[in-house]
Amino acid sequence: MRVLVLYAHPDPNSFGAALHGAVLKGLQEAGHEVDDCDLYAEGFDPLLSHAERVGYHDLASNTDPVAGYVARLRAAEALVLCFPVWNYGYPAILKGFFDRVFLPGVSFKLVDGVVRPNLWNIRKLAAVTSYGGTRWRAFLMGDPPRKLVKRAVRAVCHPMARPLYLAHYDMNRATPESRAAYLGIVEKKMRML
């Protein structure tokens, strides 16, 4: 299966980088064809420009500024998001990817003014993340990243795509053992994707 991994963390020495490595290792061990999109390393510009916003609904040209990323997304059969939760949301660079690449005609289409999913090529969806706070604290805040993955991103994928959401909570008090256990779970789940 062709898997697009969207990785969003600026520090190559972080636990996020270790998670990214576990994702890649598990997917590669399972024999998947992996397109590793490290948004920071690739210098992805998350800013939606004025011209892009004005041309947002122009299906003939709205993808021009991000054509390479659109092609990678369209070629994928699975999408794996690997990111830390910061301030109960995605890192800005990942949010910018959604703003600039999940365009009309790409992730969705308008049919008589109604949004319809358009990423039917994405049959598997997963997110691998970490939170500084506890699961309870995330729950009290509404856990926006979990909802965005399991509802918003899933809504534009193939109807049979069931999202897998893996999270290590309470990183502020994580132990080497809890981090190692989570890395093992991530590798195992990616081999089963």
Side-chain angles (χ1 to χ4, degrees):
M1 178 172 22
R2 288 184 308 276
V3 182
L4 175 61
V5 175
L6 289 180
Y7 171 58
H9 200 295
D11 184 356
N13 298 312
S14 65
F15 184 64
L19 288 176
H20 178 227
V23 165
L24 296 177
K25 183 178 179 190
L27 291 171
Q28 290 164 346
E29 285 178 357
H32 296 298
E33 179 185 330
V34 178
D35 179 358
D36 181 23
C37 182
D38 181 336
L39 294 172
Y40 281 98
E42 293 186 16
F44 179 78
D45 182 356
L47 299 177
L48 181 70
S49 71
H50 175 262
E52 286 174 278
R53 183 60 195 130
V54 169
Y56 188 76
H57 291 285
D58 181 2
L59 300 184
S61 65
N62 67 350
T63 63
D64 290 349
V66 289
Y69 290 102
V70 169
R72 292 165 79 176
L73 183 61
R74 287 178 170 160
E77 296 168 297
L79 178 62
V80 177
L81 309 173
C82 185
F83 62 95
V85 171
W86 290 336
N87 297 303
Y88 298 100
Y90 298 134
I93 200 166
L94 183 57
K95 175 63 168 76
F97 184 92
F98 290 127
D99 291 347
R100 293 189 66 213
V101 180
F102 276 50
L103 296 163
V106 177
S107 66
F108 67 95
K109 56 187 171 186
L110 291 172
V111 179
D112 297 324
V114 177
V115 172
R116 301 280 188 230
N118 203 41
L119 285 175
W120 282 53
N121 53 300
I122 303 294
R123 296 178 171 273
K124 302 267 184 168
L125 173 63
V128 175
T129 188
S130 60
Y131 292 67
T134 64
R135 174 71 178 109
W136 177 245
R137 186 177 182 100
F139 174 77
L140 289 175
M141 300 304 287
D143 205 349
R146 180 183 292 269
K147 286 181 181 173
L148 286 169
V149 169
K150 296 186 94 172
R151 296 179 185 176
V153 178
R154 183 196 177 278
V156 297
C157 296
H158 191 281
M160 297 304 289
R162 298 290 176 252
L164 171 65
Y165 194 87
L166 302 173
H168 187 302
Y169 292 93
D170 208 8
M171 283 297 296
N172 296 334
R173 293 183 290 188
T175 64
E177 294 78 20
S178 71
R179 288 190 297 270
Y182 182 54
L183 289 170
I185 290 168
V186 169
E187 278 186 35
K188 178 181 177 183
K189 293 290 187 176
M190 291 300 107
R191 283 193 297 270
M192 297 167 45
L193 189 68

